[in-house]
Structures are given as C-alpha cells and as structure tokens.
C-alpha cells in the first residue's frame, strides 16, 4: 500500500459530546442581509486560499447583478464590487465553477433565462487572485438561449473540462461544448445528448453503472420523462429507457446523486414541482428501486434545489431540499439518514423552520471546523435575503480531502473518493464524487467531506481519478484536511504545516502568492525555499516580512512544469510551514 505522503491541515474546531445535527442562522454583512432574487448558491474557493467563498446568481425578470463574497477567514466576508462577475445585470440562473484551463484557479460559467438578444450566457476567466474577466467572444457564451443549468466535465478524458448546459424554452436542445485546450471551445452537435427537444432543467454527470465513466442524467419539466444517457466511450452515448428513473411523467426541476446506503453505488433523488411528490431511487447494481413509502416521497413539495451531505458527521448522507414559488411562503425539507438509506424528516430545527422561497442550496465548511455549513439562494417575491446556516454540531469525527488532478483535470471533476472506517463498531465504506455542480443550479464545495461518527482512523482511502487510475492509502488520520495530488508520491513522511502561511494558487501558472491569515501575528525575516523532489534547493527568497492579512507575490513562470517542495523558515532556521507546490507553466 502506498503511504499518504501529502500534507495535512489541522482544521479549527473543538470536540464536544452532542452527536445530533444542529444549525444556527447567521447574520453576516452582505451575505445574509441583501434582498435579491437569487437562483444559484455556490461554495467555491475563488482565490485559492483554502477557504470557501460564496457566490449567488440573481435572476429576476429584467436582470440583477450577481453577488460574490470573499471569505475573510474569521467568520466574516467581504462583498466584491466592480468585478465583471458581479456586473452582468442579467437574469442569471445556474452557475458552475471549475479550472477549465488547468492554471490552478476556478473559472465560471453563468447561464441566463432571458430571451432573445439578452439571452446570452457568460464565461468568466479567473485572473488567479479571485477576480474575473468576462470573455464575450467565447463560443458557448455568444449563443442566445433560455438556459437553466450548466456543469463542467471531462467527457473525452483529455485533461480539459468540457461544458454542458440545459435549455427549457426556445430551441430546447441542450448544448455541449468541447474544450480545445487553448482557451477556446467548440460546439459538438451531432450527439444523442444534444438532440432532444424537451424542457430540461438540471444536469448531472454521474457513473450510475460503476463502469468508470461519467453518464448523463437530465431532469425535464412539463410532465415529461427524465433522460439518461449511458457513456459508451468518448462522444458515444446510448439513451437508456428501461430503468425506473426515466419512466415517470413528472415536472422535475432537479436531482441529486449520492450513496445513501453506503453500498458503493450512487442513489438518486429527484426534485419535482407543480405540487408533485419528490422521489428517491435506490441503486442496486445499475438498476433502481423507487422508495415509494419513504417520507421523502410524501408531502407534495414544490421543490427545486437539493443536496446530499453528511451534516451530522455520523457516517451517512443526509438530504436537504429547497421549496419555492408557491402562492405563500413555505419551509424547506430536511431529512436525516439512519445509515441504511432510511430517512426521518426534521420539522422542528432552526433549519427546517426557515421560511420563504429557496431555489438553490450548497454545502461547504466556511469556517474550516469539519462541520458542513449551508447556504440558501432565496427568492421570495424576488426580494428576499439569502441565508447562511452555521453548523454547530459537535462530538462526531470527520475527515476532508482536497484532490488535485495532474493527468486528469486539475479540479479533479469526475473523481470518485472512497474511505473505509470502523464507524460505531461496523466497517463502513463511504463514497463521494467530485462534481462541478450539485442539485439544481448550484454547487457544493470541492473539498470532499466525510463524517466518521466515533471512528478513530481511516483504515483505507481509495481515489479513482477520471482517467481510470486508482490510488490507495492507509491509516489516514482523522479531523484533518488532507490534500492529495494525482500520481505524486514523495520520499517524505511528514509535513510541518502552519495553516496561516500558505502558497496559492496551487497548482500555479506564473504568479504565486504567499498569504498570512493569522489575525494577530506579523512575520519578519522569513525565508521561502523552493526545492526539487529530491530536496535540492532551486530558488531562495530571503528577508520576507509578512503582516497579518497581507500577501506577497512571486513570479514562477520560468520554472518547468512539475512538482516541487517548499519550506518557510524563520531567521533562526525554524521550519514553520512546508508542503508541495505544483507548477503548471
């Protein structure tokens, strides 16, 4: 077995004795007190500093600017103004962030549901520091469509993420654009996945049959059947019609996939609106059994967004469902998993009692304490403030992973992450997939999160990268964040990491930043050393001073593509931070 040779970051947080899920509504300037007509909720790290930021798309008729909030690493956020990504004044809908040019930062695609000349979509390229440039001439942005949701996936396994987005009015055909690897995208139109004339809402790329590639699932409204296309090789898709998940005539808005019974395959939740009951399907080796007696399948929801997440850290996936656009205000649905795929509805917690209209939702750990927090894109009368619910749960253990692709796409979209641990006396395998979207219109954090209950170690970790290779690690420590870079093993057994000092973005192309997030310490006379994988010094930067909240920048554009080590030392030679640095020049 290969040892885990990648650095680990201790998260902030204390253990207590309570094991139940608990959320508290927050009041955070900008994030939770700005009335808007929001659609997409995204937990994404746009400036690559290791802390999830927040993006909301806003989509009332006539248009409204979107909102981006940068995490200050202290429980507060800074509202971004005068950046291209918050100045479109369009009827924005679904949003997907991913590193589409493999330069170490997250780019964005925002679709709109406006008609005619105002129906263009927006591609934003990240400048590396969390600011964005709108590129109006990019192919998939120039088309004028009535779009719902977008997501990135590497369909042809060339290391570059391709784009698929859905349309519900007008030409109706969904669109697929292939990444050319040079900053441009080309439309691919002669495929079965671009030939349907249905009012499609959401899109999921998921390996439903566990054969190692990403299949396509689409939800359709207007009392239509949903669509499933099996991936049979690059740009070769077969429409599947004989499974229960594509045989009902419903008005579906969104879907979420997750392994709710911990048996190694992905189960399916479908969010329906027009007062139709939602649906839960358990995957049984590629066939599906609808759970008609589950509480999830009752209540006549008017549902849109949804997401699976282990928000009580007990080792199984729970479910949150967004409801909106009823004649009156309504509550969302909160379902707690018992570990076997059986759910109980929570109707009394602060989270369950929140009222209004919620369109999209996303989970992420914004304070890095190991417990998943939740943001809601609210839109009551197109003039409701959004929500951020802080998870106050304590007691159960957890582990988190950041996955960085090298032979695969840098964002690691399409990666399957599995862990084995002894949870409450039982050996349990848990499974997660890394995706560039979640539920309907929204996006969970790229950081992969597992709850562990009372498990004290991770016995085995298996990561299957999009290109099909699998890496296995053993004896992983808990209550930490581990960063894993595809295919890289170093002859170093331990890294000494100071979470307040770090290089970002990582991987980097050109300029890299050294940031100090410590609120109380100013560093003086530091030395930054860049080493090759054999520990030989390549570059040294001396006499560095770094005050709290500041950052320094270094030009690494002349370094060859590859993996390096870095160390940060005091003037007396004390090592205070070290890790890997991936160069993607």
């Amino acid at each position: 077995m290969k040892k885990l040779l990648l650095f680990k970051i201790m998260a902030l947080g204390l253990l207590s004795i309570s094991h139940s899920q608990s959320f508290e509504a927050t009041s955070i300037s900008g994030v939770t007190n700005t009335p808007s007509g929001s659609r997409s909720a995204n937990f994404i790290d746009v400036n690559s500093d290791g802390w999830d930021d927040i993006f909301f798309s806003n989509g009332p008729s006539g248009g409204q600017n979107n909102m981006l909030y940068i995490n200050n690493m202290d429980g507060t956020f800074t509202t971004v103004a005068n950046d291209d990504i918050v100045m479109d004044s369009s009827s924005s809908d679904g949003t997907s962030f991913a590193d589409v040019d493999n330069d170490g930062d997250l780019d964005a695609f925002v679709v709109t549901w406006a008609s005619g000349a105002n129906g263009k979509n927006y591609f934003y390229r990240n400048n590396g520091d969390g600011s964005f440039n709108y590129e109006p001439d990019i192919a998939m942005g120039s088309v004028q469509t009535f779009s719902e949701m977008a997501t990135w996936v590497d369909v042809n396994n060339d290391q570059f993420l391709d784009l698929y987005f859905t349309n519900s009015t007008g030409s109706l055909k969904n669109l697929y654009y292939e990444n050319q690897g040079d900053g441009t995208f080309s439309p691919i139109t002669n495929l079965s996945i671009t030939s349907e004339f249905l009012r499609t809402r959401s899109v999921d790329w998921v390996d439903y049959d566990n054969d190692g590639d990403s299949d396509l699932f689409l939800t359709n409204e207007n009392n239509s059947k949903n669509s499933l296309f099996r991936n049979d090789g690059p740009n070769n898709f077969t429409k599947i019609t004989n499974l229960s998940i594509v045989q009902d005539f419903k008005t579906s808005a969104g879907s979420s996939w997750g392994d709710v019974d911990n048996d190694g395959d992905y189960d399916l939740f479908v969010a329906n609106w027009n007062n139709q009951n939602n649906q839960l399907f358990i995957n049984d080796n590629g066939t599906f059994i609808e759970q008609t007696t589950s509480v999830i399948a009752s209540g006549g929801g008017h549902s849109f967004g949804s997401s699976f997440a282990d928000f009580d850290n007990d080792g199984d996936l729970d479910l949150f469902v967004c409801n909106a656009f009823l004649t009156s205000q309504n509550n969302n649905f909160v379902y707690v998993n018992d570990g076997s795929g059986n759910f109980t509805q929570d109707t009394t917690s602060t989270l369950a009692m929140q009222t209004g209209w919620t369109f999209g939702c996303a989970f992420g750990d914004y304070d890095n304490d190991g417990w998943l927090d939740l943001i809601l894109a609210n839109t009551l009368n197109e003039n409701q403030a959004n929500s951020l619910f802080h998870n106050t749960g304590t007691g159960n253990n957890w582990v988190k992973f950041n996955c960085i692709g090298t032979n695969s796409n840098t964002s690691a979209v399409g990666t399957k992450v599995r862990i084995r641990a002894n949870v409450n006396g039982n050996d349990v395998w848990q499974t997660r997939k890394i995706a560039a979207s979640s539920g309907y219109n929204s996006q969970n954090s790229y950081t992969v999160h597992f709850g562990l209950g009372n498990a004290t170690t991770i016995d085995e970790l298996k990561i299957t990268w999009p290109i099909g290779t699998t890496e296995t690690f053993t004896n992983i420590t808990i209550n930490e964040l581990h960063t894993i870079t595809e295919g890289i093993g170093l002859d170093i057994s331990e890294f000494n990491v100071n979470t307040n000092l770090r290089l970002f973005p990582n991987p980097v192309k050109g300029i890299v930043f050294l940031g100090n997030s410590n609120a109380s310490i100013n560093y003086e006379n530091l030395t930054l050393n860049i080493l090759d994988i054999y520990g030989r010094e390549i570059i040294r930067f001396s006499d560095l001073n770094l005050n709290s909240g500041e950052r320094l920048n270094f030009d690494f554009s002349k370094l060859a593509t590859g993996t390096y080590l870095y160390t940060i030392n005091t003037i007396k030679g004390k090592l205070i931070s070290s890790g890997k640095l991936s160069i993607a020049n």
Side-chain angles (χ1 to χ4, degrees), residues 56-94:
F56 293 112
S57 74
N58 294 323
S61 178
Q64 189 176 83
N65 283 333
N66 301 318
M67 300 183 295
L68 176 62
Y69 304 97
I70 301 300
N71 194 329
N72 295 325
M73 301 176 258
D74 60 2
T76 68
F77 290 79
T78 297
T79 302
V80 173
N82 301 319
D83 188 275
D84 283 1
I85 203 169
V86 295
M87 298 178 66
D88 69 350
S89 191
S90 294
S91 299
S92 300
D93 219 348

Side-chain angles (χ1 to χ4, degrees), residues 85-355:
I85 203 169
V86 295
M87 298 178 66
D88 69 350
S89 191
S90 294
S91 299
S92 300
D93 219 348
T95 304
S96 181
F97 288 81
D99 186 2
V100 305
D101 46 15
N102 289 331
D103 65 349
D105 53 49
L106 297 178
D107 312 294
F109 191 71
V110 183
V111 301
T112 71
W113 60 272
S115 301
N118 294 323
K120 63 182 179 181
N121 298 315
Y122 292 81
F123 174 73
Y124 298 99
R125 199 176 299 274
N126 196 324
N127 295 314
D129 58 359
S131 65
F132 294 85
N133 284 335
Y134 166 49
E135 297 187 4
D137 298 325
I138 206 83
M140 64 277 195
S142 60
V143 294
Q144 294 165 357
T145 55
F146 192 109
S147 301
E148 296 285 349
M149 181 174 173
T151 195
W152 300 94
V153 66
D154 185 6
V155 176
N156 53 7
N157 271 340
D158 64 353
Q159 195 184 9
F160 291 96
L161 290 169
D162 311 301
L163 180 74
Y164 189 93
F165 62 92
T166 65
N167 299 308
S168 64
T169 300
S171 68
L172 293 182
K173 282 188 177 182
N174 301 320
L175 299 178
Y176 165 54
Y177 286 82
E178 194 171 82
N179 192 334
Q180 301 303 297
D182 59 1
T184 66
F185 298 81
S186 297
I188 307 297
T189 59
N190 59 342
L191 304 178
S192 58
I193 61 174
T194 59
S195 298
E196 287 192 319
F197 290 87
L198 295 171
R199 297 184 182 275
T200 305
R201 285 278 191 160
S202 75
V203 49
D204 279 294
W205 290 95
V206 57
D207 185 9
Y208 83 93
D209 52 3
N210 265 344
D211 66 349
D213 52 29
S214 294
D215 311 296
L216 177 65
F217 181 77
L218 305 169
T219 63
N220 303 309
E221 60 181 357
N222 204 32
N223 286 315
S224 301
K225 294 181 179 180
N226 294 323
S227 303
L228 176 66
F229 295 89
R230 188 182 65 220
N231 190 337
D232 291 327
N235 289 350
N236 181 17
F237 294 90
T238 300
K239 185 170 183 179
I240 304 301
T241 60
N242 63 344
L243 295 178
S244 59
I245 61 175
V246 291
Q247 292 181 342
D248 294 321
F249 293 91
K250 298 285 187 180
T251 298
S252 300
S255 60
S256 288
W257 293 77
D259 184 9
V260 302
D261 50 5
N262 288 333
D263 67 348
D265 51 28
Y266 299 114
D267 310 297
L268 170 64
F269 168 79
V270 177
N272 299 315
W273 62 286
N274 200 24
N275 207 32
Q276 296 176 351
N277 285 336
N278 298 322
Q279 296 169 285
L280 176 66
F281 298 88
I282 297 298
N283 190 339
D284 183 15
N285 295 317
T287 63
F288 292 84
I289 302 170
E290 185 171 2
Q291 306 300 294
T292 56
T293 61
S294 171
V295 65
I296 291 175
S298 63
H302 212 74
S303 301
F304 292 88
S306 61
S307 184
F308 286 114
D310 187 359
F311 48 66
D312 52 10
N313 277 357
D314 66 349
D316 55 58
L317 289 173
D318 310 298
L319 177 65
F320 183 85
V321 181
C322 309
N323 295 315
F325 294 102
L326 290 166
T327 56
S328 60
Q329 297 189 43
N330 54 263
N331 301 112
N332 298 310
F333 295 150
V334 182
Y335 300 105
V336 181
N337 193 343
D338 70 353
S340 301
N342 301 311
F343 291 85
T344 302
Q345 186 173 0
D346 165 21
T347 60
T348 61
S349 70
T350 300
L351 181 59
M353 295 297 291
Q354 189 258 356
T355 59

Side-chain angles (χ1 to χ4, degrees), residues 37-52:
S38 295
R39 299 301 195 267
S40 176
N42 302 72
F43 259 130
I44 31 80
D45 182 7
V46 299
N47 56 4
S48 305
D49 65 356
W51 296 73
D52 278 331

